[in-house]
Amino acid sequence: MLKLAFASDDRVRVNQHFGAAQAFVIYTVTPNGATVSGFGEFPEEAMDGNENKLLAKVDFLAGCDAVFVHAIGASAIKQLLAKGVQPIRVGEVDSIDELIKDVSQAMQTGGVPWIDRALAAQSRAAGPDRFAAMEAEGWEG
C-alpha cells in the first residue's frame, strides 16, 4: 500500500505548483485500486520569498510516500525528501486517475525505483512480526 498526494485544486488533475498549492488530495493506493484518504487546503500565498509557506505543506504530507506536483522548487524538494516523501513532477494535464492506475500497475510489476524503494521500506518495517503472522495463519516455508 502506498500513500500518495496530488497537488490539485479540482481533485481531477495535477495542476498546482507545490509552493503555491492551495490543495492536496491524498489517496491510499494498492495494486488493485485506490481510495481517497485525505484532503488538505491551504491559503493562497505568493510563490517567491516566503519559505515558511512550505513548512505547513511538508508537515501535512509527512507519512506520504510521494507527492505529485506540476512544478516544485529545490527547497521544497529537499524538505520533502528529508521527511521521506518523494516529489514527482508531472504535466499540468496529467489525470490523477491515470497516475493512480500507473502506480497500481507498477506496484504489481516493479521496475519504478521510487515505488520499489517505498514498498521495500514497508516490508522492512513490518520486520520479524510478519513471519509470526504468517506462521499463525498456517504458512509453511
Side-chain angles (χ1 to χ4, degrees):
M1 167 179 78
L2 296 175
K3 190 173 176 184
L4 306 179
F6 300 88
S8 175
D9 64 1
D10 63 7
R11 299 187 191 191
V12 174
R13 58 200 163 90
V14 175
N15 61 358
Q16 298 273 286
H17 182 289
F18 183 83
Q22 294 176 8
F24 292 93
V25 60
I26 297 176
Y27 283 82
T28 301
V29 180
T30 69
N32 301 316
T35 57
V36 174
S37 58
F39 189 77
E41 293 183 326
F42 298 87
E44 186 174 351
E45 299 190 52
M47 295 258 293
D48 295 323
N50 181 7
E51 289 298 312
N52 293 331
K53 73 178 178 288
L54 300 177
L55 185 59
K57 293 171 184 168
V58 170
D59 285 346
F60 174 75
L61 297 171
C64 288
D65 294 294
V67 59
F68 291 76
V69 298
H70 173 61
I72 189 167
S75 179
I77 290 171
K78 183 177 178 181
Q79 291 178 50
L80 287 166
L81 290 173
K83 293 276 188 176
V85 181
Q86 176 68 52
I88 300 171
R89 192 177 347 207
V90 296
E92 188 170 349
V93 296
D94 283 352
S95 155
I96 291 171
D97 287 343
E98 288 300 316
L99 292 166
I100 288 172
K101 286 178 191 174
D102 292 346
V103 169
S104 291
Q105 183 177 5
M107 290 174 76
Q108 294 173 19
T109 60
V112 178
W114 74 265
I115 294 174
D116 294 345
R117 280 191 306 272
L119 294 174
Q122 289 176 11
S123 290
R124 284 190 303 275
D129 292 341
R130 69 185 170 109
F131 295 115
M134 290 185 333
E135 183 178 3
E137 293 173 358
W139 178 80
E140 293 181 18

